[in-house]
Amino acid sequence: AAASSPTTNQPTLLPPPRATLLENLFQSISYANVQDEDSPEGKAMAFMIQEDNDTTTIVDNDDTSRLIQRYALMTLYYQGGDDDTTTNSNSRRTQRQRQLNWADDSNWASSSSGDECTWTGIICEDQEVVRIDMADNGVSGQLSPDLALLTSLRTLVLNGNELEGTVPKSFRNLVNLRVLALRDQKNNSFGGSFSELMDSSLSYLENLRVLDLGGNGFTGTLPSSLYASSSILTYLDLGNNNGITGTISPDISQMESLRFLNVTNNNLTGSLPQGITDLTSLEVLDVSANQLTGPIPELLGDLENLNTLIVRDNQLNGAIPTMLGFLTALETLNLERNGFTGRIPSTLASLTNLRSLSLGGNDFLWSVFPDYIYEFTNLNTLHLENSMMFGSLSGDGIAQWSETLTSLRLDNNFLNETLPDQIGSLQKLQELRLDGNYFFGPLPEELGSLEQLTDLRLNFNQFSGELPSSLGNLGELQRLSVGGNYLSGSLPDSLTSLSKLSFFSCEDAFFEGPIPEQIGDMVSLEVFRCHLNRWEGESRGLSGSIPNSITKLENLRTFIVFQNSLDGTIPNDLPESLEILDLELNLLGGPVPDTMGSLDQLRVLRLGGNVNLLEVPESICELVLTDTTSTSANLEVYRAGCSQECTCCTQLCGARDVMEL
């Protein structure tokens, strides 16, 4: 019989281990160095290989796509901080969360995290990541270039995190991206050249509709690629970057879909180009706080959809275009602090939808306060300070704003007559600035009805009578200025109930009587200025002793009461926070407290002109001489009768000229 052939056992070819396949995959697709174990990419790959229990295989392209997007998302997680190397997964996760400081990392970086489409901040369609929204979530570090592997991504929102560095050039491959929002609402600090970013990356994103890079640190100019590649862009925010320079090109007319444009607080120069008037869809235009010059284009009045126009804090000039009156959809108009001339056009009367009108700080000609403003019944902000306006305020007109107005600035004009009682009807008013006008007569008791008021400035008018005790009802008040008037009488005790008041001034008036004994209850007080109330033959000024309760004012920095009639002794325990103490030209007596030498924050001390005041303690000398590098080096102890060579005089005999302050 023929001999049978020997049986040959062929070796079975096994596929490479899953770890090897994954490593090869990530090395082939990464824009970075996945071999760097300390990089976000290296950590993301290690997680996928060692800890991820996802059962997805890499047999077909669909599964491969899942693994790639899972890996790309993990680079976002690992891009900030260092993770613990302990082998206990629970302790490792706790350590990661603490160091990365994410507000919410539900399902991320867990061996049983499951479908990445369930991770917090992730939205998928057909198992493909289309949206990442991690705003205000504590995400830190630099963006990994491997986020660009998420080629189906349409929306990336990372506003208000702690991100830094540059936007990766690889983002040019996010061809489906429609929204890129990296605004710094908290601590984001992206930087680099905006023009380079546009040329190398963003100009390739043909579907981009929203670009929000505000509040970062971008520099450079607005490149031609911005205008040429952004015909469908609807929202552009580059505000508060501080470093964007150059001009706004007339080519901006190519951005025909633009609805929102914000470039505030940069260093742009040149004029507002005529091309802006071609942006017929524009709703918001904010070019404030730059160095723009020239006039506002007259044809801006053709932008019928415009509801916000803000050009404050530039160097614009010329007359305000009358055609702005055609912008009937306008809700915010802010032209403050430019060089506009002429008169405020009467055509603005057509802007009855205005909620905010700010025209102050220009070079307008004399004009009467416009009555048509009272017809703006939705008004919440009216700023017409430094506007050369005269006339009076209508009580009935003011009452039209009773449900809306929160801020009223009419300071430094020529307004006169009495302040209408209807001022008390402005129940939502938070800021009232009427200082530097010619109002006269008594202050209305109705001021005490403005319970939301935080800032009240009535100084340097011609108000007379006493300070209304009803002001003590203003529990939210933080600043109260009533000096420079003909006000008289005593300071109401009710003022001591203003526990949030930090600034109080009643200087250059005719107040008399004591400083309220319970001044120590004004626990937020930082500045007390009530000097120049004693006028020979007119007023004795503030009198009595300085209340001992002043020692409770732990935030008090400035206490100025010179030229009054205060007597008694200086309290022993003055607040250690004091920086300026001016008690000149009063009737104080007794020794200067030795404890004054412990006020190491003090930089101005004026005690002269108190004829009954005795010696200055040596501790004052030590305060002046022992610390020549701090604010104490500028300490001024006003005295007379000392030689120029004297390094520390302990005799007070005179005072400076009262006009010196």
Side-chain angles (χ1 to χ4, degrees):
S4 60
S5 301
T7 302
T8 303
N9 294 322
Q10 297 292 331
T12 302
L13 296 178
L14 299 175
R18 185 171 186 270
T20 302
L21 291 171
L22 287 172
E23 186 171 353
N24 291 338
L25 171 64
F26 298 137
Q27 284 185 19
S28 68
I29 52 92
S30 176
Y31 294 101
N33 180 14
V34 294
Q35 296 300 319
D36 181 356
E37 295 181 355
D38 294 326
S39 69
E41 298 78 20
K43 292 177 182 178
M45 183 175 73
F47 172 80
M48 297 290 294
I49 292 174
Q50 299 171 13
E51 300 182 46
D52 192 7
N53 291 336
D54 182 32
T55 57
T56 304
T57 64
I58 55 174
V59 175
D60 55 69
N61 289 336
D62 289 339
D63 291 331
T64 301
S65 299
R66 281 286 309 284
L67 290 173
I68 290 173
Q69 78 173 9
R70 195 175 179 88
Y71 157 80
L73 290 173
M74 288 307 301
T75 66
L76 178 64
Y77 183 83
Y78 284 117
Q79 70 188 21
D82 297 318
D83 65 289
D84 190 10
T85 56
T86 177
T87 57
N88 183 291
S89 62
N90 289 329
S91 63
R92 174 165 55 246
R93 175 168 163 71
T94 301
Q95 180 74 3
R96 284 174 181 158
Q97 188 174 24
R98 181 169 65 251
Q99 291 186 339
L100 296 178
N101 200 33
W102 281 23
D104 184 0
D105 69 344
S106 302
N107 294 331
W108 288 72
S110 168
S111 59
S112 58
S113 58
D115 187 349
E116 64 272 14
C117 296
T118 66
W119 297 356
T120 187
I122 305 302
I123 302 296
C124 295
E125 291 181 5
D126 298 326
Q127 293 300 308
E128 292 183 342
V129 175
V130 296
R131 180 182 179 93
I132 299 175
D133 189 345
M134 302 289 285
D136 301 300
N137 203 47
V139 182
S140 61
Q142 299 186 20
L143 290 178
S144 169
D146 283 355
L147 283 175
L149 297 172
L150 300 170
T151 54
S152 297
L153 193 64
R154 297 200 296 263
T155 299
L156 178 59
V157 179
L158 294 171
N159 292 343
N161 284 289
E162 299 174 19
L163 297 163
E164 59 186 4
T166 58
V167 178
K169 293 181 180 179
S170 60
F171 274 30
R172 66 191 293 174
N173 296 311
L174 293 172
V175 293
N176 291 300
L177 198 64
R178 299 178 183 178
V179 176
L180 178 59
L182 305 177
R183 162 169 288 277
D184 174 29
Q185 293 166 302
K186 293 183 179 177
N187 297 307
N188 281 352
S189 56
F190 289 104
S193 168
F194 175 70
S195 54
E196 181 179 335
L197 175 62
M198 281 299 308
D199 292 343
S200 65
S201 181
L202 299 186
S203 62
Y204 291 85
L205 304 181
E206 296 180 353
N207 292 299
L208 196 63
R209 289 168 170 78
V210 174
L211 179 58
D212 187 353
L213 302 179
N216 285 285
F218 290 104
T219 59
T221 60
L222 303 177
S224 58
S225 59
L226 170 65
Y227 310 114
S229 63
S230 303
S231 62
I232 67 169
L233 197 69
T234 63
Y235 186 105
L236 176 60
D237 192 340
L238 300 174
N240 297 297
N241 275 283
N242 299 310
I244 295 180
T245 59
T247 62
I248 303 174
S249 169
D251 292 338
I252 195 172
S253 61
Q254 299 177 38
M255 304 175 72
E256 56 191 26
S257 300
L258 204 60
R259 297 168 57 186
F260 182 102
L261 175 60
N262 180 11
V263 291
T264 183
N265 200 18
N266 281 289
N267 289 301
L268 295 170
T269 55
S271 61
L272 284 173
Q274 197 70 29
I276 285 183
T277 65
D278 294 329
L279 304 180
T280 55
S281 297
L282 200 62
E283 298 175 5
V284 174
L285 175 60
D286 186 350
V287 297
S288 58
N290 282 282
Q291 300 175 42
L292 299 174
T293 56
I296 294 177
E298 184 78 26
L299 293 180
L300 205 65
D302 287 339
L303 302 181
E304 59 183 22
N305 294 306
L306 199 66
N307 63 55
T308 299
L309 175 59
I310 305 176
V311 301
R312 62 171 178 79
D313 295 303
N314 279 286
Q315 300 165 32
L316 299 170
N317 53 41
I320 297 176
T322 57
M323 285 188 65
L324 292 189
F326 295 150
L327 301 175
T328 55
L330 209 60
E331 296 182 2
T332 297
L333 176 60
N334 191 331
L335 312 181
E336 284 184 319
R337 293 181 293 278
N338 279 282
F340 294 117
T341 55
R343 289 187 167 85
I344 299 172
S346 59
T347 55
L348 299 189
S350 301
L351 307 181
T352 55
N353 289 312
L354 275 179
R355 296 180 181 273
S356 177
L357 176 61
S358 302
L359 305 177
N362 284 287
D363 297 324
F364 297 129
L365 295 175
W366 287 75
S367 61
V368 178
F369 185 83
D371 287 342
Y372 62 75
I373 290 180
Y374 299 125
E375 303 302 318
F376 300 161
T377 55
N378 296 317
L379 212 59
N380 58 51
T381 300
L382 178 60
H383 292 175
L384 296 175
E385 70 276 15
N386 295 287
S387 294
M388 297 291 288
M389 287 191 172
F390 61 92
S392 60
L393 297 181
S394 163
D396 292 339
I398 286 176
Q400 299 294 314
W401 307 324
S402 61
E403 299 296 324
T404 59
L405 199 65
T406 62
S407 179
L408 179 60
R409 294 183 186 176
L410 300 175
D411 47 296
N412 295 303
N413 281 291
F414 297 88
L415 300 173
N416 55 27
E417 297 195 17
T418 59
L419 188 59
D421 294 345
Q422 289 91 336
I423 196 76
S425 68
L426 305 178
Q427 294 301 304
K428 294 188 177 181
L429 198 64
Q430 299 174 18
E431 180 185 38
L432 177 58
R433 294 175 56 171
L434 302 177
D435 46 304
N437 280 285
Y438 291 87
F439 290 108
F440 57 81
L443 292 174
E445 282 283 345
E446 287 79 3
L447 284 170
S449 300
L450 304 177
E451 295 181 355
Q452 297 189 37
L453 203 62
T454 63
D455 189 345
L456 176 57
R457 305 187 196 188
L458 305 171
N459 46 310
F460 298 105
N461 280 279
Q462 298 178 15
F463 290 117
S464 58
E466 297 189 356
L467 207 57
S469 60
S470 62
L471 295 180
N473 299 330
L474 306 180
E476 300 298 318
L477 202 61
Q478 299 173 22
R479 179 177 180 127
L480 175 58
S481 300
V482 295
N485 284 287
Y486 295 107
L487 295 169
S488 59
S490 60
L491 298 179
D493 289 337
S494 61
L495 295 181
T496 62
S497 64
L498 302 178
S499 60
K500 295 184 179 181
L501 195 70
S502 63
F503 184 102
F504 177 64
S505 68
C506 63
E507 77 280 9
D508 196 10
F510 296 89
F511 290 108
E512 296 181 313
I515 297 173
E517 182 64 34
Q518 300 305 316
I519 188 175
D521 293 341
M522 303 168 74
V523 293
S524 300
L525 197 62
E526 298 180 15
V527 175
F528 184 90
R529 298 181 47 169
C530 286
H531 50 281
L532 286 170
N533 275 280
R534 174 164 57 89
W535 304 96
E536 188 170 348
E538 297 284 348
S539 169
R540 292 185 62 245
L542 300 179
S543 59
S545 60
I546 299 173
N548 287 324
S549 67
I550 194 176
T551 62
K552 296 162 55 178
L553 301 178
E554 297 180 353
N555 299 302
L556 190 66
R557 295 182 292 106
T558 299
F559 189 73
I560 301 178
V561 290
F562 74 83
Q563 197 167 328
N564 280 287
S565 298
L566 296 170
D567 56 24
T569 59
I570 300 173
N572 277 324
D573 297 314
L574 293 170
E576 295 180 359
S577 55
L578 272 172
E579 298 175 8
I580 299 175
L581 178 60
D582 191 340
L583 308 178
E584 279 191 339
L585 295 166
N586 279 282
L587 305 174
L588 296 168
V592 176
D594 187 66
T595 53
M596 195 174 287
S598 65
L599 302 179
D600 55 8
Q601 300 298 314
L602 205 62
R603 59 185 176 85
V604 176
L605 173 61
R606 293 169 178 158
L607 303 175
N610 287 281
V611 295
N612 298 318
L613 201 61
L614 302 179
E615 73 276 359
V616 177
E618 290 293 330
S619 62
I620 294 288
C621 303
E622 295 173 6
L623 179 64
V624 176
L625 300 177
T626 56
D627 185 359
T628 58
T629 60
S630 73
T631 54
S632 298
N634 297 320
L635 189 74
E636 303 175 33
V637 180
Y638 274 82
R639 60 243 174 195
C642 299
S643 67
Q644 293 297 318
E645 294 80 15
C646 182
T647 57
C648 184
C649 298
T650 57
Q651 180 182 9
L652 292 175
C653 303
R656 48 97 199 252
D657 186 336
V658 296
M659 298 303 293
E660 181 180 328
L661 187 65

